[in-house]
Amino acid sequence: MYALSSTVLAIVTGEIYRYTLTSNKRSVRELKTIEDWVVDREIRSVPGIADLNSFGGEVKTYQITVNPEKALQYNVTPLELFDAVSKSNVNVGGDVIDQHGQAFVVRGIGLLNNIDEIKNIVVNNVKGTPIYVKTIGDVTESSLPRLGQVGRDKDPDVVEGIVVMRKGENPSEVIKALKIKINELNTKILPDDVKINTFYDRETLVDFATHTVLHNMMEGIIFVTVIVFLFMADWRTTLIVSLVIPLALLFAFMCLKLKGMSANLLSMGAIDFGIIIDASVVMVEGIFVVLDHRAKQVGMDNFNRLSKLGMIKQACMVNGKGIFFAKLIIITGLLPIFSFEKVEGKMFSPLAWTLGFALLGALILTFTFVPAMASVLLNKNVKERHNVFVEWVTKTCMFVYSWCFRLRKVMLPFTLITLVMCLACFELLGTEFLPELNEGAIYVRATGPLSISLKESVKIANEMRSIFLSFDEVKQVVSQTGRPNDGTDATGFYNIEFHVDIYPQDQWKRKETKEDLIRRMQDKLKFYPGVDLNFSQPISDNVEEAVSGVKGSIVVKLFGDDYKIIENKEDTIYSILKGVNGIADLGVIRDLGQPELQINLNQAKMAQYGVVSADANAVIEMAIGGKAATQIYEGEKKFDLRIRYPEDFRDNERSIGDLRVPTLNGNKVPLREIADIKKITGVSMIYRDDHKRYGAIKFSIRGRDMGSTIKEAQEKVNAKIKLPKSYFLQWAGDFENQQRATTRLSQVVPISLLLIFFILFILFGNFRDSLLVLNNVPFAIAGGILALLITGVNFNISAGIGFIALFGICVQNGVILITKFKSNIKDLRNHTELRFPDALRMGVEDRLRPLVMTAMMAAIGLLPAAMSNGIGSEASKPLAIVVIGGLITNTTFNLFIFPIIFYWAYRKRVESGNIGRM
């Protein structure tokens, strides 16, 4: 079975599932142990899972807490204790011995099994009296120093698991397998009181987006089918055309499967079924007209007895060339999408493949399935019924055409002026990288002072979590303070992240937008001094961090060597950006500001006392921070056995200065005698990009488009900031993506247009007709620009792809008209009473139904996507709006203005009678 993927939702981040472990009687230390040794192993066994990151809880250890006074009394240094403990927990192998024809493996077992055995390790021997570990310290079950803490709703301390999917996997399939495993854990493996409680499930977002996309697709298919029936007024032709849609999609899915790709939500949501079946519509309409004409000639009874294959073949040959080249041009128009890189490439290349394969399938079906079905269904009683709707459309359009053609000397310059004005309106459009996908959740990052302690940071996190829960729109909240113990997220206690899960918007009591809710949250949270807030969404936050390199959507990077210069300039830039309208969540990501107790070893004094640097640093590491001497096994589990001094002996400079360091002659010297101990403000984080050090100012943009906001910000910063030599600024993040994608579009779109021109030249065999057809492009672009302007949608990469799709679509109508015009002009020799304008008028009237029908199908087929506001509709909405707007203006141009341009281009040639080679 072919699966619909959510690849668009898993571009940069592989996080697909989050949960917490709950128990009504176990401590977070016990839960953390179960997480690390039971849950972790089971979840990693699920196909497609790359990693499981655990956050929160206490990592169980065993700890020897050394009493420095007793250690000094019994002349035991931390290094001696470390050596004694590590040597007392060893197994060895003694090869094999043979006895009575059997081979016995020799093993020496010396592992420690429990706390009592640890206490009785001999550390030293004073005059025949053993000095045990218990003599100089206490042995207890303990935990690693906490680097972070997780809270969920009203519970301030929980254990969280974050499941990461392997790159290239299908999230829907992986999540399905993961849920089976979690159900097995909850029912068969975990203790009865321990349960996995889901917090975040990517499938929820996928289901919402899938529902929106499939709803839009079904509406589009229904609308397209209705349009075909309205114009053709025959159930048989409607059925033939409608069957092409599922068959073309099936062909596309088969091709994608062979290529090893999946049709993601964006590619499905952006498929225009009107474009897919327009070739079939033209072919069916042509066959129907030929058969109807023949039926009127010979009478219906005689017609029903005739063989239709020859007539159908003739109709296919007449329309086939134009249809083939028109579809080839549309597919060629998609080529620029394949050149996209990075984020935009991963998002939109599946769209190009899906639509390209569907168009190819539809083209094949047009020349095979459609004629075959026509020979079966249109074998009898083919009659063009009186169609009130088509008659009204024809009369209206022809009246407008006659009026325009009569005033052609005025209409042409008027049209050109209007075109220039519409194209100039592009400058009025806002710009952005991509439309923001509504994930149905809010991700808030609070950045406190670099010097804040974990205890104080957790206090703030608990208070903020309560504030979030006070909003009726909020379903649940998880907070993450600091970082996990495994070091997968390099940050400090100052970093607090909130995953705020909200109810669907249609369940909110207040009639407001998500942006309104964020503003209310900001108002309640702004009273925390020194805390910078950043509002985003779960997936977006990970994508933004991966793209910009820091925790922010858009970032100004200041490259240089001196941190003090960088910080000084950062503060100035911060002040400038604060005055730019549209900039929100502004904050300086500082490199300096981490309080540090620095112990500088004095090499001269160490040489005087006979101390080795390695011994001094080992004492510092072990006594203050704690160091694992060995590991204790409990079945399959293993836990560090650490050595550390009590907090009272390591919590200030004086106590640390009293630490005894061994010398080479066996004596001990206080640490203060060989080192300078002082407090300084050090570096918190060192950021590098392309091997260069930088500082950063992060911000988001709300209530204004990205392009104009960044432009204003850059102008103000460049005007006021003067940087020393070798220092420079770089604007990164979403803006950098937008610039890269826009540059790529400017490079490949002209190449695409040249390819289209080359195909047109092959079709027509002359430059004049090729250039005439390309006149459609600027008029289609003008319509797309006006549509964006009217709907208030910013120009982004999705809209840009809409313009790319328009290149092929709009050219198709020009090909159809020119082909018909030239056919009519050649017939003028057989109808001397007709003139050149008559040939054009008959061409427009003859091709009016397929032109208007295909345009309406393409436009109305995308109408649900253009009007949808559901989750998952954001990415395809700009594309749909552009295509609809472009089709409206292009169809208007084709019917009323294009014949005038063709008239001026060929008037002299036709009037001179030189029409033989047309």
Side-chain angles (χ1 to χ4, degrees):
M1 183 178 178
Y2 193 78
L4 181 65
S5 164
S6 60
T7 308
V8 67
L9 305 176
I11 295 167
V12 177
T13 172
E15 290 186 13
I16 58 172
Y17 202 85
R18 292 193 180 205
Y19 63 86
T20 56
L21 280 185
T22 59
S23 173
N24 56 8
K25 62 181 182 181
R26 295 180 190 265
S27 67
V28 289
R29 185 182 300 172
E30 293 174 294
L31 290 175
K32 175 65 173 173
T33 302
I34 294 173
E35 165 73 13
D36 290 344
W37 294 101
V38 180
V39 178
D40 184 278
R41 293 184 174 189
E42 293 292 332
I43 288 182
R44 286 178 187 271
S45 69
V46 176
I49 298 299
D51 198 6
L52 175 63
N53 298 325
S54 180
F55 204 139
E58 297 179 349
V59 179
K60 177 182 173 181
T61 64
Y62 289 95
Q63 182 168 301
I64 300 173
T65 306
V66 181
N67 186 322
E69 295 174 346
K70 289 187 177 181
L72 182 61
Q73 176 184 343
Y74 291 103
N75 201 30
V76 176
T77 67
L79 286 176
E80 291 171 339
L81 175 59
F82 182 89
D83 289 340
V85 172
S86 60
K87 291 176 181 178
S88 299
N89 191 41
V90 179
N91 277 0
V92 296
D95 203 354
V96 177
I97 61 172
D98 291 331
Q99 286 187 354
H100 309 296
Q102 288 183 305
F104 289 83
V105 176
V106 179
R107 296 181 62 203
I109 307 299
L111 290 182
L112 298 168
N113 297 299
N114 52 55
I115 288 178
D116 287 335
E117 291 184 3
I118 298 171
K119 289 180 177 180
N120 290 315
I121 294 173
V122 177
V123 180
N124 200 355
N125 191 293
V126 180
K127 297 179 181 180
T129 303
I131 307 299
Y132 300 102
V133 166
K134 63 185 177 183
T135 308
I136 60 172
D138 295 325
V139 182
T140 57
E141 181 186 301
S142 184
S143 64
L144 288 176
R146 299 192 70 166
L147 301 177
Q149 186 168 319
V150 176
R152 178 170 180 176
D153 297 333
K154 295 182 179 180
D155 192 342
D157 199 359
V158 299
V159 176
E160 178 189 25
I162 304 171
V163 183
V164 181
M165 181 186 69
R166 192 164 57 230
K167 182 180 179 182
E169 297 286 344
N170 188 321
S172 300
E173 296 177 1
V174 176
I175 292 174
K176 182 180 179 181
L178 175 63
K179 287 184 174 180
I180 294 173
K181 175 59 69 176
I182 288 176
N183 181 63
E184 181 184 351
L185 280 163
N186 279 333
T187 56
K188 298 180 181 180
I189 300 175
L190 295 177
D192 293 338
D193 62 295
V194 178
K195 299 295 179 187
I196 294 177
N197 189 2
T198 303
F199 177 81
Y200 171 72
D201 181 355
R202 176 76 63 82
E203 193 172 51
T204 303
L205 175 59
V206 174
D207 289 343
F208 274 120
T210 302
H211 176 268
T212 300
V213 170
L214 293 180
H215 180 266
N216 293 342
M217 287 175 60
M218 291 305 300
E219 285 188 347
I221 292 173
I222 292 171
F223 288 161
V224 166
T225 305
V226 170
I227 292 297
V228 174
F229 186 76
L230 276 175
F231 277 91
M232 300 297 295
D234 188 280
W235 69 268
R236 295 170 295 180
T237 56
T238 304
L239 178 63
I240 293 171
V241 172
S242 299
L243 288 175
V244 171
I245 295 176
L247 293 175
L249 286 178
L250 179 62
F251 179 85
F253 291 157
M254 291 171 60
C255 291
L256 289 171
K257 188 71 174 179
L258 292 173
K259 188 172 170 52
M261 297 177 63
S262 56
N264 64 29
L265 297 175
L266 175 60
S267 60
M268 295 303 296
I271 287 180
D272 187 345
F273 297 105
I275 299 172
I276 289 176
I277 65 172
D278 58 2
S280 301
V281 167
V282 173
M283 183 66 79
V284 169
E285 196 267 351
I287 293 173
F288 190 84
V289 169
V290 168
L291 295 178
D292 173 68
H293 180 70
R294 185 61 174 165
K296 289 176 180 177
Q297 283 182 331
V298 301
M300 191 59 70
D301 291 337
N302 292 329
F303 173 80
N304 290 341
R305 290 192 293 268
L306 290 175
S307 173
K308 313 299 185 303
L309 293 179
M311 290 178 278
I312 292 174
K313 180 181 178 181
Q314 180 187 2
C316 291
M317 291 178 66
V318 170
N319 294 293
K321 184 179 179 182
I323 288 173
F324 175 79
F325 277 95
K327 272 288 177 278
L328 183 61
I329 288 169
I330 293 177
I331 294 173
T332 303
L334 300 175
L335 292 180
I337 305 175
F338 294 107
S339 68
F340 283 152
E341 303 172 300
K342 298 186 178 180
V343 176
E344 63 274 18
K346 292 180 182 294
M347 284 190 69
F348 291 104
S349 60
L351 182 153
W353 284 110
T354 305
L355 187 55
F357 284 139
L359 288 169
L360 179 61
L363 181 62
I364 295 172
L365 291 167
T366 299
F367 289 108
T368 55
F369 174 78
V370 169
M373 288 296 292
S375 68
V376 175
L377 295 179
L378 300 179
N379 193 40
K380 293 183 179 181
N381 301 322
V382 178
K383 181 180 180 180
E384 182 85 42
R385 293 180 175 85
H386 178 66
N387 191 322
V388 177
F389 176 72
V390 173
E391 183 181 17
W392 175 81
V393 170
T394 302
K395 284 184 177 180
T396 304
C397 290
M398 293 313 298
F399 172 79
V400 176
Y401 167 81
S402 299
W403 183 80
C404 290
F405 196 84
R406 188 168 60 252
L407 301 175
R408 55 186 175 273
K409 291 183 179 181
V410 176
M411 289 303 300
L412 196 56
F414 173 77
T415 302
L416 292 175
I417 293 171
T418 305
L419 174 64
V420 172
M421 292 175 62
C422 291
L423 294 176
C425 287
F426 184 80
E427 294 297 322
L428 302 177
L429 291 176
T431 58
E432 62 186 5
F433 174 50
L434 287 171
E436 185 177 6
L437 173 68
N438 181 8
E439 300 176 30
I442 300 173
Y443 205 82
V444 185
R445 191 185 299 275
T447 305
L450 295 180
S451 59
I452 195 171
S453 66
L454 177 61
K455 182 179 179 180
E456 185 62 25
S457 192
V458 168
K459 178 185 174 184
I460 294 174
N462 293 338
E463 292 174 357
M464 286 188 171
R465 203 169 58 251
S466 298
I467 291 173
F468 286 124
L469 289 170
S470 68
F471 289 89
D472 294 332
E473 297 81 2
V474 174
K475 184 189 299 184
Q476 54 184 345
V477 185
V478 161
S479 63
Q480 296 176 174
T481 307
R483 65 174 181 265
N485 282 82
D486 59 9
T488 50
D489 187 6
T491 187
F493 300 146
Y494 55 84
N495 185 66
I496 312 172
E497 300 175 20
F498 299 90
H499 189 141
V500 183
D501 189 19
I502 57 179
Y503 290 102
Q505 205 160 340
D506 56 6
Q507 298 179 21
W508 292 5
K509 295 178 181 179
R510 295 171 179 255
K511 299 299 180 182
E512 63 179 7
T513 64
K514 191 175 179 182
E515 287 69 28
D516 295 329
L517 175 60
I518 290 175
R519 277 192 289 270
R520 289 199 289 126
M521 289 178 172
Q522 283 179 311
D523 290 339
K524 281 198 173 185
L525 296 171
K526 65 184 179 182
F527 301 105
Y528 287 91
V531 176
D532 292 328
L533 297 174
N534 188 80
F535 286 81
S536 185
Q537 300 183 101
I539 297 175
S540 300
D541 183 80
N542 282 326
V543 173
E544 290 162 1
E545 185 175 351
V547 171
S548 67
V550 299
K551 300 180 186 298
S553 171
I554 303 175
V555 60
V556 184
K557 295 180 179 179
L558 174 54
F559 290 86
D561 298 321
D562 193 321
Y563 283 123
K564 292 183 179 179
I565 295 176
I566 289 175
E567 289 229 336
N568 179 266
K569 296 297 182 181
E570 281 179 329
D571 290 336
T572 306
I573 295 172
Y574 176 89
S575 301
I576 296 170
L577 296 180
K578 204 170 183 180
V580 177
N581 181 38
I583 286 184
D585 306 333
L586 183 63
V588 177
I589 300 177
R590 301 192 179 276
D591 300 302
L592 298 174
Q594 178 63 56
E596 185 178 308
L597 183 66
Q598 196 171 83
I599 304 172
N600 285 318
L601 298 176
N602 188 312
Q603 296 296 326
K605 290 184 177 180
M606 285 196 299
Q608 180 181 345
Y609 285 100
V611 176
V612 180
S613 294
D615 291 343
N617 281 326
V619 170
I620 294 170
E621 178 187 14
M622 197 182 314
I624 302 173
K627 185 176 181 180
T630 187
Q631 291 181 319
I632 305 299
Y633 284 83
E634 293 181 3
E636 289 187 327
K637 306 180 187 71
K638 56 183 179 180
F639 305 98
D640 286 343
L641 173 56
R642 296 165 54 83
I643 299 172
R644 198 180 190 190
Y645 276 20
E647 189 172 354
D648 292 344
F649 291 89
R650 52 180 170 81
D651 61 352
N652 56 67
E653 298 96 315
R654 183 182 180 87
S655 299
I656 292 172
D658 289 335
L659 294 176
R660 293 298 195 266
V661 180
T663 64
L664 293 176
N665 59 14
N667 294 324
K668 280 83 176 174
V669 59
L671 183 60
R672 72 168 64 89
E673 296 295 332
I674 59 170
D676 297 321
I677 304 172
K678 59 182 179 181
K679 291 179 179 178
I680 66 167
T681 299
V683 176
S684 171
M685 192 82 71
I686 298 176
Y687 292 96
R688 288 184 178 274
D689 191 0
D690 197 21
H691 308 292
K692 299 181 182 69
R693 183 183 293 175
Y694 71 88
I697 303 97
K698 60 92 181 175
F699 61 91
S700 305
I701 296 175
R702 280 198 292 274
R704 188 180 176 186
D705 72 284
M706 180 192 298
S708 63
T709 306
I710 298 294
K711 182 180 179 181
E712 180 185 344
Q714 286 180 326
E715 289 174 352
K716 290 184 175 181
V717 169
N718 292 337
K720 296 181 181 180
I721 295 294
K722 304 300 179 185
L723 297 175
K725 190 176 181 180
S726 77
Y727 286 71
F728 63 94
L729 290 174
Q730 183 184 88
W731 300 71
D734 280 350
F735 174 73
E736 185 181 23
N737 286 335
Q738 182 209 24
Q739 294 296 300
R740 181 186 62 249
T742 303
T743 302
R744 180 50 59 95
L745 278 176
S746 66
Q747 295 169 344
V748 298
V749 167
I751 297 174
S752 177
L753 289 174
L754 284 174
L755 288 174
I756 291 174
F757 178 80
F758 179 70
I759 294 172
L760 290 171
F761 182 77
I762 294 175
L763 172 62
F764 295 117
N766 63 79
F767 286 102
R768 181 182 302 183
D769 291 341
S770 304
L771 291 173
L772 281 174
V773 172
L774 282 181
N775 279 317
N776 285 270
V777 173
F779 286 93
I781 291 175
I785 292 172
L786 285 178
L788 291 175
L789 199 61
I790 292 169
T791 56
V793 175
N794 293 329
F795 176 80
N796 48 50
I797 301 306
S798 176
I801 290 175
F803 283 111
I804 291 172
L806 272 177
F807 294 160
I809 299 168
C810 68
V811 166
Q812 174 180 252
N813 293 337
V815 170
I816 293 173
L817 279 176
I818 283 187
T819 303
K820 189 61 182 177
F821 288 162
K822 288 193 164 187
S823 175
N824 287 352
I825 292 171
K826 290 180 180 179
D827 289 342
L828 289 177
R829 289 177 297 187
N830 302 323
H831 301 278
T832 56
E833 74 279 5
L834 298 177
R835 304 185 65 184
F836 185 25
D838 298 320
L840 297 181
R841 179 183 176 85
M842 288 189 298
V844 172
E845 189 170 6
D846 185 68
R847 293 289 83 192
L848 190 144
R849 180 168 68 174
L851 281 179
V852 175
M853 181 164 49
T854 53
M856 286 187 66
M857 285 191 310
I860 294 179
L862 281 177
L863 193 61
M867 298 180 65
S868 177
N869 292 310
I871 292 177
S873 66
E874 298 86 1
S876 57
K877 188 170 185 174
L879 184 153
I881 289 172
V882 167
V883 172
I884 291 172
L887 283 170
I888 292 172
T889 55
N890 178 246
T891 304
T892 304
F893 167 76
N894 273 308
L895 292 177
F896 309 129
I897 306 301
F898 185 71
I900 298 174
I901 297 176
F902 187 88
Y903 173 80
W904 290 113
Y906 275 96
R907 185 183 62 169
K908 291 182 179 180
R909 186 172 179 181
V910 173
E911 290 177 352
S912 65
N914 185 20
I915 60 175
R917 298 182 62 184
M918 292 182 68

